[in-house]
Amino acid sequence: MPVSVGAIDRTEPKGAQAIHRAMSLLAVVGRNNTHGIRLKELAAQTGLHVATAHRLLNALAWNGMVIFDGFSKRYYLGVQVHALIDATRYGGIQPRLASLMEKLARRMAAVIYAYLPLMNDIISIKRVGSKDTVLHDTGIGDGVRYPLGIGAAGVAILATMPPEQARAIAASNSERYAEYHTGTAAVLQAVRSARQTGYGLNQGVIHNTFGIGTVIRNSRGEVSAAISAVYSVEALGDRRLQKMAGILLREVKAFEPLEFPSA
C-alpha cells in the first residue's frame, strides 16, 4: 500500500545538525574549488567556529569528500566527489585505465599514476604498482591535486596547449608554484622541453620523486587524461630515462583513444 506524503516522519533525525554543517562546508569548498580555500575562510563563510569546521573537515577528508593540500593549506573537493561524477558522467575512467597502468607498472618497474585535468589543475585518480615495484610513500595519493605545470603529467598537459594558453595558466598558478619551490619560468621551460620530446618530466619537484608523464587522447585528439611513471630521484639515469619514456609513449599510443560518453 502506498505511503502518503503526510505519513512521512519529517522530524529532524538525531545528528542532522552535523550533517547540515558538513554539507555547508562541502558546498563552500565546491564553490572555491579552482584555487582551494583555507580553514579560516571556510569557517567564516559557514558561520562555524574554526574548531568545529576543522573537526567536520577531518571527517569529510577521512571519507574522501575533501582533500587538504599540505603545501598551500587549502581544501579542495576530494576523490570521492570526483568518483561520483566519474561514475555518472564519464562511465568509470579508473577501470578503463587499469589494464594500461598495470602493464606499464610491470614493464617500467615504476609506480603509475593517472590524472584528470580539472580547470587549471590536475587531480590524481588512481595509483598502480607491480609486484616488483616498491610503493614507497611519494605523497601522491588518490584525490591529491596539483596546479597544472607541477609534476610530469601536469607539464605534459600544458605542453599540448597553444603557447599563449599555457603561459596564461602558468601565470595564474604562479603563486602556487612557489609552494613547490619552483616558478613560472622553470615550469614554462619544462613545457617547452616536453613539446620537443613528447613527454613531461618531474625532477624532484614533488616529494623528491622523478616522473615521466604524457597525455591520453580521445579520437578527436583532445586530452582525456594524463599518466605518469614515478621513481625515486636516484632511480633513473639518462639511458634508462630514454628507454622508459619510449615504453610509456608506445603503450599509451597503442591504448588510445580513451573515449568518454557525453554528460
Side-chain angles (χ1 to χ4, degrees), residues 33-228:
N33 202 45
T34 299
H35 299 295
I37 184 168
R38 297 178 187 270
L39 174 60
K40 287 186 178 180
E41 297 172 83
L42 274 165
Q45 291 191 34
T46 56
L48 296 174
H49 190 278
V50 170
T52 301
H54 187 251
R55 184 175 67 253
L56 291 170
L57 286 164
N58 281 343
L60 289 169
W62 181 261
N63 288 280
M65 301 304 289
V66 300
I67 56 172
F68 178 68
D69 183 344
F71 286 96
S72 65
K73 309 299 182 186
R74 295 174 184 271
Y75 288 89
Y76 298 88
L77 292 178
V79 69
Q80 290 302 326
V81 174
H82 296 288
L84 290 171
I85 296 170
D86 182 35
T88 58
R89 183 176 181 184
Y90 299 117
I93 186 174
Q94 292 170 320
R96 296 185 184 201
L97 290 171
S99 61
L100 171 65
M101 296 177 71
E102 289 165 4
K103 186 174 185 179
L104 286 171
R106 290 193 304 271
R107 293 201 61 194
M108 300 180 72
V111 184
I112 308 299
Y113 293 88
Y115 299 87
L116 288 180
L118 190 68
M119 305 293 287
N120 289 353
D121 293 8
I122 57 171
I123 182 168
S124 64
I125 60 167
K126 189 174 180 64
R127 179 177 81 159
V128 171
S130 72
K131 64 179 182 179
D132 299 319
T133 304
V134 177
L135 281 171
H136 56 283
D137 184 12
T138 61
I140 311 170
D142 289 352
V144 175
R145 182 171 175 156
Y146 299 103
L148 276 173
I150 295 298
V155 169
I157 292 174
L158 277 184
T160 67
M161 299 177 181
E164 61 275 13
Q165 183 182 2
R167 285 194 296 269
I169 290 175
S172 71
N173 282 337
S174 60
E175 290 186 8
R176 299 169 67 199
Y177 291 157
E179 297 160 8
Y180 299 88
H181 308 290
T182 189
T184 303
V187 167
L188 291 176
Q189 178 56 50
V191 169
R192 286 191 290 270
S193 296
R195 290 195 181 107
Q196 295 176 349
T197 62
Y199 55 85
L201 291 178
N202 163 54
Q203 302 184 71
V205 175
I206 299 180
H207 301 286
N208 203 37
T209 59
F210 190 103
I212 313 168
T214 191
V215 299
I216 306 176
R217 298 178 183 270
N218 61 23
S219 59
R220 298 178 298 281
E222 300 162 341
V223 174
S224 293
I227 200 163
S228 66

Side-chain angles (χ1 to χ4, degrees), residues 235-255:
L236 286 183
D238 288 342
R239 291 181 63 183
R240 190 172 181 218
L241 166 61
Q242 296 301 321
K243 180 180 179 181
M244 294 300 106
I247 292 172
L248 178 66
L249 294 177
R250 287 192 297 273
E251 292 294 344
V252 168
K253 189 69 174 177
F255 174 82

